[in-house]
Coordinates of all heavy atoms in Angstrom, one line a residue:
A1 N 0.8 -1.2 0.0 CA 0.0 0.0 0.0 C 0.9 1.3 0.0 O 1.9 1.3 0.6 CB -0.9 0.0 1.2
T2 N 0.5 2.3 -0.8 CA 1.2 3.5 -0.9 C 0.4 4.6 -0.2 O -0.7 4.8 -0.6 CB 1.5 3.8 -2.3 OG1 2.2 2.7 -3.0 CG2 2.3 5.1 -2.5
F3 N 1.1 5.3 0.7 CA 0.5 6.5 1.4 C 1.2 7.7 1.0 O 2.4 7.8 0.7 CB 0.6 6.2 2.9 CG -0.2 5.0 3.4 CD1 0.3 3.7 3.4 CD2 -1.6 5.1 3.8 CE1 -0.4 2.7 3.9 CE2 -2.3 4.1 4.3 CZ -1.7 2.8 4.3
K4 N 0.5 8.8 1.2 CA 1.1 10.1 1.2 C 1.7 10.5 2.5 O 1.2 10.2 3.6 CB 0.0 11.2 0.8 CG -0.3 11.2 -0.7 CD -1.2 12.4 -1.0 CE -1.5 12.4 -2.6 NZ -2.3 13.6 -2.9
L5 N 2.8 11.2 2.5 CA 3.5 11.5 3.7 C 4.0 13.0 3.6 O 4.6 13.3 2.5 CB 4.8 10.6 3.8 CG 5.7 10.8 4.9 CD1 5.1 10.4 6.2 CD2 7.0 10.0 4.6
T6 N 3.7 13.8 4.6 CA 4.1 15.2 4.6 C 5.0 15.5 5.8 O 4.6 15.1 6.9 CB 2.9 16.1 4.6 OG1 2.2 15.9 3.4 CG2 3.3 17.6 4.6
N7 N 6.0 16.3 5.7 CA 6.9 16.7 6.8 C 6.4 17.9 7.4 O 6.4 19.0 6.8 CB 8.4 16.9 6.2 CG 9.3 17.4 7.2 OD1 9.0 17.5 8.4 ND2 10.4 17.8 6.8
T8 N 5.8 17.8 8.6 CA 5.4 18.9 9.3 C 6.3 19.2 10.5 O 5.8 19.9 11.5 CB 3.9 18.7 9.8 OG1 3.9 17.5 10.7 CG2 2.9 18.4 8.7
S9 N 7.5 18.8 10.5 CA 8.4 19.0 11.6 C 8.9 20.4 11.7 O 9.5 20.8 12.8 CB 9.6 18.1 11.5 OG 10.4 18.4 10.4
G10 N 8.8 21.2 10.6 CA 9.4 22.5 10.6 C 10.9 22.6 10.2 O 11.5 23.7 10.2
R11 N 11.4 21.4 9.8 CA 12.8 21.4 9.4 C 13.0 20.3 8.3 O 12.2 19.5 8.1 CB 13.7 21.1 10.6 CG 13.6 19.7 11.1 CD 14.5 19.5 12.3 NE 14.3 18.1 12.9 CZ 15.0 17.0 12.5 NH1 15.9 17.1 11.6 NH2 14.7 15.9 13.1
T12 N 14.1 20.4 7.6 CA 14.4 19.4 6.6 C 14.9 18.1 7.2 O 15.6 18.1 8.2 CB 15.6 20.0 5.6 OG1 15.1 21.1 5.0 CG2 15.9 18.9 4.6
L13 N 14.3 17.1 6.7 CA 14.7 15.7 7.2 C 15.6 15.0 6.2 O 15.5 15.1 5.0 CB 13.4 14.9 7.4 CG 12.4 15.5 8.3 CD1 11.1 14.7 8.3 CD2 13.0 15.6 9.8
K14 N 16.6 14.3 6.8 CA 17.6 13.6 5.9 C 17.5 12.1 6.1 O 17.5 11.6 7.3 CB 19.0 14.1 6.3 CG 20.1 13.6 5.4 CD 20.1 14.2 4.0 CE 21.3 13.9 3.2 NZ 21.3 14.5 1.9
N15 N 17.4 11.3 5.1 CA 17.3 9.8 5.1 C 16.2 9.4 6.1 O 16.5 8.8 7.2 CB 18.6 9.3 5.5 CG 19.7 9.3 4.4 OD1 19.3 9.5 3.3 ND2 20.9 9.3 4.7
L16 N 15.0 9.6 5.7 CA 13.8 9.3 6.6 C 13.4 7.9 6.3 O 13.1 7.5 5.2 CB 12.7 10.2 6.2 CG 11.3 10.0 6.9 CD1 11.4 10.0 8.4 CD2 10.3 11.0 6.4
V17 N 13.5 7.1 7.4 CA 13.2 5.6 7.3 C 12.1 5.2 8.2 O 12.0 5.7 9.3 CB 14.6 4.8 7.6 CG1 14.3 3.3 7.5 CG2 15.7 5.3 6.8
F18 N 11.2 4.3 7.7 CA 10.2 3.7 8.5 C 10.6 2.3 8.8 O 10.9 1.5 7.9 CB 8.8 3.8 7.9 CG 8.2 5.1 8.0 CD1 8.4 6.1 7.1 CD2 7.5 5.5 9.1 CE1 7.8 7.4 7.1 CE2 6.9 6.7 9.2 CZ 7.1 7.7 8.3
L19 N 10.6 1.9 10.1 CA 11.1 0.6 10.5 C 10.0 -0.2 11.3 O 9.3 0.3 12.1 CB 12.3 0.8 11.5 CG 13.4 1.6 11.0 CD1 13.3 3.0 11.6 CD2 14.8 1.0 11.4
P20 N 9.8 -1.5 10.9 CA 8.9 -2.4 11.6 C 9.2 -2.4 13.1 O 10.4 -2.5 13.5 CB 9.0 -3.7 10.9 CG 9.5 -3.4 9.6 CD 10.4 -2.2 9.8
V21 N 8.2 -2.6 14.0 CA 8.4 -2.6 15.4 C 7.6 -3.8 16.0 O 6.4 -3.9 15.7 CB 7.9 -1.2 16.1 CG1 7.9 -1.3 17.6 CG2 8.8 -0.1 15.6
A22 N 8.2 -4.5 16.9 CA 7.5 -5.6 17.7 C 7.2 -5.0 19.1 O 8.0 -4.3 19.7 CB 8.3 -6.8 17.8
L23 N 6.0 -5.3 19.6 CA 5.6 -5.0 21.0 C 5.5 -6.3 21.7 O 4.7 -7.2 21.4 CB 4.3 -4.3 20.9 CG 4.2 -2.9 20.2 CD1 2.8 -2.3 20.4 CD2 5.3 -1.9 20.9
N24 N 6.3 -6.4 22.8 CA 6.3 -7.7 23.5 C 5.8 -7.5 24.9 O 6.1 -6.5 25.6 CB 7.8 -8.2 23.6 CG 8.3 -8.5 22.2 OD1 7.7 -9.1 21.4 ND2 9.5 -8.0 21.9
D25 N 5.0 -8.4 25.4 CA 4.5 -8.3 26.8 C 5.6 -8.5 27.8 O 6.4 -9.5 27.7 CB 3.4 -9.4 27.0 CG 2.5 -9.2 28.2 OD1 3.1 -8.6 29.2 OD2 1.4 -9.6 28.2
T26 N 5.7 -7.6 28.8 CA 6.9 -7.6 29.7 C 6.6 -8.6 30.9 O 7.6 -9.0 31.5 CB 7.2 -6.2 30.2 OG1 5.9 -5.7 30.9 CG2 7.6 -5.3 29.1
D27 N 5.4 -8.8 31.2 CA 5.2 -9.7 32.4 C 4.1 -10.8 32.2 O 3.8 -11.5 33.2 CB 4.7 -8.8 33.6 CG 3.4 -8.0 33.2 OD1 2.8 -8.2 32.2 OD2 3.0 -7.1 34.1
G28 N 3.7 -10.9 31.0 CA 2.7 -12.1 30.7 C 1.3 -11.7 31.2 O 0.4 -12.6 31.1
D29 N 1.1 -10.5 31.7 CA -0.3 -10.2 32.2 C -0.9 -9.3 31.2 O -0.7 -8.1 31.1 CB -0.2 -9.5 33.5 CG -1.5 -9.1 34.1 OD1 -2.5 -9.5 33.5 OD2 -1.5 -8.4 35.2
P30 N -1.9 -9.7 30.4 CA -2.5 -8.9 29.3 C -3.4 -7.8 29.9 O -3.7 -6.8 29.3 CB -3.4 -9.9 28.5 CG -3.6 -11.0 29.4 CD -2.4 -11.1 30.4
S31 N -3.7 -7.9 31.2 CA -4.7 -6.9 31.8 C -4.0 -5.5 31.9 O -4.7 -4.5 32.1 CB -5.2 -7.4 33.1 OG -4.2 -7.5 34.1
N32 N -2.7 -5.5 32.0 CA -2.1 -4.2 32.2 C -1.4 -3.6 31.0 O -0.5 -2.8 31.0 CB -1.0 -4.3 33.3 CG 0.1 -5.3 33.0 OD1 0.2 -5.8 31.9 ND2 1.0 -5.5 34.0
N33 N -1.7 -4.2 29.8 CA -1.2 -3.8 28.6 C -2.0 -2.6 27.9 O -3.3 -2.8 27.8 CB -1.1 -4.9 27.5 CG -0.1 -6.0 28.0 OD1 0.7 -5.7 28.8 ND2 -0.3 -7.2 27.4
A34 N -1.4 -1.5 27.6 CA -2.2 -0.4 27.0 C -2.5 -0.7 25.5 O -3.4 -0.1 25.0 CB -1.3 0.8 27.0
Q35 N -1.7 -1.6 24.9 CA -1.9 -1.9 23.5 C -1.8 -3.5 23.4 O -1.2 -4.1 24.3 CB -0.9 -1.3 22.6 CG -0.9 0.2 22.5 CD -2.0 0.8 21.7 OE1 -2.7 0.1 20.9 NE2 -2.3 2.1 21.9
A36 N -2.4 -4.1 22.4 CA -2.2 -5.5 22.2 C -0.8 -5.7 21.7 O -0.3 -5.0 20.9 CB -3.2 -6.0 21.2
P37 N -0.1 -6.7 22.2 CA 1.2 -7.0 21.7 C 1.3 -7.6 20.3 O 0.1 -8.0 19.8 CB 1.8 -8.1 22.7 CG 0.5 -8.8 23.2 CD -0.5 -7.7 23.3
T38 N 2.4 -7.6 19.6 CA 2.4 -8.2 18.3 C 2.7 -9.7 18.5 O 2.9 -10.2 19.6 CB 3.6 -7.6 17.5 OG1 4.8 -7.7 18.2 CG2 3.3 -6.2 17.2
A39 N 2.6 -10.4 17.4 CA 2.7 -11.9 17.5 C 4.1 -12.4 17.5 O 4.8 -12.2 16.5 CB 1.8 -12.5 16.4
G40 N 4.5 -13.2 18.5 CA 5.7 -13.9 18.5 C 7.0 -13.1 18.2 O 7.8 -13.7 17.5
G41 N 7.1 -11.9 18.6 CA 8.3 -11.2 18.4 C 8.4 -10.6 17.0 O 9.3 -10.0 16.7
T42 N 7.2 -10.7 16.2 CA 7.2 -10.1 14.9 C 6.5 -8.7 15.0 O 5.9 -8.4 16.0 CB 6.4 -11.0 13.9 OG1 5.0 -10.9 14.2 CG2 6.8 -12.4 14.0
P43 N 6.7 -7.9 14.0 CA 5.9 -6.6 14.0 C 4.4 -6.7 13.5 O 3.8 -5.7 13.2 CB 6.7 -5.8 13.0 CG 7.3 -6.8 12.0 CD 7.5 -8.0 12.8
F44 N 3.9 -7.9 13.5 CA 2.5 -8.1 13.0 C 1.6 -8.5 14.2 O 2.0 -9.2 15.1 CB 2.5 -9.2 12.0 CG 3.4 -8.9 10.7 CD1 4.6 -9.4 10.7 CD2 3.0 -8.0 9.7 CE1 5.5 -9.1 9.6 CE2 3.8 -7.7 8.6 CZ 5.0 -8.3 8.6
R45 N 0.4 -8.0 14.1 CA -0.6 -8.4 15.1 C -2.0 -8.4 14.4 O -2.1 -8.1 13.2 CB -0.7 -7.5 16.3 CG -1.1 -6.1 16.0 CD -1.0 -5.3 17.3 NE -1.5 -3.9 17.2 CZ -1.4 -3.0 18.2 NH1 -0.9 -3.3 19.4 NH2 -1.9 -1.8 18.0
T46 N -3.1 -8.8 15.1 CA -4.4 -9.0 14.6 C -4.3 -9.8 13.3 O -5.0 -9.4 12.3 CB -5.2 -7.7 14.4 OG1 -4.4 -6.8 13.5 CG2 -5.3 -7.1 15.8
V47 N -3.5 -10.8 13.2 CA -3.4 -11.7 12.1 C -4.7 -12.7 12.1 O -4.7 -13.5 13.0 CB -2.1 -12.5 12.0 CG1 -2.0 -13.3 10.7 CG2 -0.9 -11.6 12.2
R48 N -5.5 -12.6 11.1 CA -6.7 -13.4 11.1 C -7.0 -14.1 9.8 O -6.6 -13.7 8.8 CB -7.9 -12.5 11.5 CG -7.7 -11.7 12.8 CD -9.0 -11.0 13.3 NE -8.7 -10.3 14.5 CZ -8.7 -10.9 15.8 NH1 -8.7 -12.1 15.8 NH2 -8.4 -10.1 16.8

């Protein structure tokens, strides 16, 4: 998928990179998670 992207930082950006991120549960207790973790250390979640 291709998205439009605009620099609103107020300065010129050099070598702007978007990197995948994994979210891992720190204590195994899903009740205190603000977001759902990703699956198995990958940057993907809600895989259905």
Side-chain angles (χ1 to χ4, degrees):
T2 301
F3 295 88
K4 284 186 175 182
L5 176 73
T6 299
N7 175 10
T8 60
S9 69
R11 65 181 180 91
T12 297
L13 303 174
K14 188 73 171 178
N15 288 340
L16 173 59
V17 183
F18 281 91
L19 307 97
V21 173
L23 297 180
N24 301 310
D25 195 328
T26 58
D27 58 9
D29 181 5
S31 65
N32 62 5
N33 295 339
Q35 301 279 346
T38 55
T42 74
F44 301 98
R45 68 181 182 187
T46 59
V47 185
R48 303 192 184 282

